[in-house]
Amino acid sequence: QVQLVESGGGVVQPGRSLRLSCAASGFTFSNYAVHWVRQAPGKGLEWVAVISYDGSNEFYADSVRGRFTISRDKIKSTVYLQINSLSHEDTAVYYCARNLEEYQLMSSFQHWGQGTLVTVSS
Amino acid sequence: EIVMTQSPDTLSVSPGDTVTLSCRASQSVRNALAWYQQRPGQAPRLLIFGASTRATGIPARFSGSGSGTEFTLTISSLQSEDFAVYYCQRYNNWPPLTFGGGTKVEI
């Protein structure tokens, strides 16, 4: 079955960097766009970034553009989120999510990982 | 940017009730609208896409309707496992994708 497993979260000091991973299995990885969505403690969902099925296109929320970079490795079936210059406002559970529809960049999210918690604290 | 507004923030209901949740878009999103359920400590789960199509494995007591700027999610005969937070999401005119602020359905 489809699985998305995030890792890489933890406690990190402000200004530092972190790379999150989303390991995918159970589907044809190269056919689907993958998104990152975050949720601050007690808050709602915030879309962060998307990478197209072939890695040729990336889009970001205004709040993270320039600091976050999304990428994918088709050999490892993994999507990454590089986060630089972390601030307290980046504290959240970060989820990766797969599109419902193949090849589409934007779609509803049929599958979600369990999330990885990033805590920015000195 | 298209803003998604959900109402109410919280609904206090009883098992067996039927509830209707509202989601309004600041401009038309046509039918590019999804609903998600999030139980405490869990990832969101897709319930409805295309405004009215139930996702795989979603019980028939969940139904979605609407188009353009006004959407509703109706849950009939609430079960104990339905007490959760519900989010709408639009996925057209991207980026960005945007979620509503959520409606908590509580006992």
Side-chain angles (χ1 to χ4, degrees):
Chain A
Q1 73 278 20
V2 174
Q3 277 198 310
L4 298 168
V5 180
E6 301 95 336
S7 60
V11 179
V12 61
Q13 293 179 326
R16 303 297 291 267
S17 298
L18 202 62
R19 189 178 79 161
L20 307 182
S21 300
C22 169
S25 61
F27 64 97
T28 304
F29 179 72
S30 59
N31 288 2
Y32 291 89
V34 175
H35 302 252
W36 286 95
V37 175
R38 68 182 179 181
Q39 187 170 36
K43 302 298 185 182
L45 302 170
E46 179 189 16
W47 175 80
V48 171
V50 61
I51 187 164
S52 61
Y53 67 96
D54 59 358
S56 62
N57 288 287
E58 310 156 26
F59 293 94
Y60 300 91
D62 288 346
S63 58
V64 306
R65 188 176 297 113
R67 293 192 302 120
F68 288 24
T69 303
I70 190 171
S71 61
R72 64 191 293 158
D73 183 331
K74 64 181 180 180
I75 303 299
K76 296 182 178 179
S77 296
T78 299
V79 174
Y80 302 99
L81 187 68
Q82 177 70 36
I83 308 175
N84 297 330
S85 302
L86 277 154
S87 70
H88 295 288
E89 289 69 37
D90 296 318
T91 293
V93 174
Y94 286 74
Y95 296 100
C96 62
R98 195 208 79 177
N99 269 0
L100 172 68
E101 299 176 71
E102 288 182 292
Y103 307 116
Q104 295 300 308
L105 189 60
M106 296 294 178
S107 167
S108 55
F109 303 159
Q110 184 178 29
H111 297 284
W112 296 67
Q114 84 289 350
T116 187
L117 176 61
V118 173
T119 302
V120 183
S121 173
S122 53
Chain B
E1 177 180 323
I2 299 176
V3 177
M4 307 301 292
T5 303
Q6 291 186 243
S7 61
D9 291 337
T10 304
L11 266 175
S12 298
V13 297
S14 300
D17 285 353
T18 293
V19 297
T20 299
L21 286 60
S22 174
C23 176
R24 175 176 294 175
S26 59
Q27 57 184 278
S28 177
V29 300
R30 301 172 76 174
N31 71 336
L33 192 285
W35 290 94
Y36 298 87
Q37 176 194 67
Q38 188 178 33
R39 296 171 178 146
Q42 296 187 15
R45 176 174 72 142
L46 177 65
L47 299 175
I48 301 286
F49 64 92
S52 61
T53 302
R54 273 190 303 278
T56 302
I58 301 304
R61 64 179 182 273
F62 291 91
S63 62
S65 64
S67 66
T69 61
E70 300 283 344
F71 301 89
T72 58
L73 173 70
T74 300
I75 312 171
S76 304
S77 300
L78 268 167
Q79 309 289 303
S80 58
E81 62 265 29
D82 300 336
F83 291 94
V85 180
Y86 293 83
Y87 295 95
C88 63
Q89 175 211 34
R90 63 102 179 160
Y91 50 91
N92 75 329
N93 287 352
W94 48 266
L97 291 178
T98 48
F99 292 90
T103 293
K104 182 178 181 180
V105 176
E106 65 176 20
I107 300 175

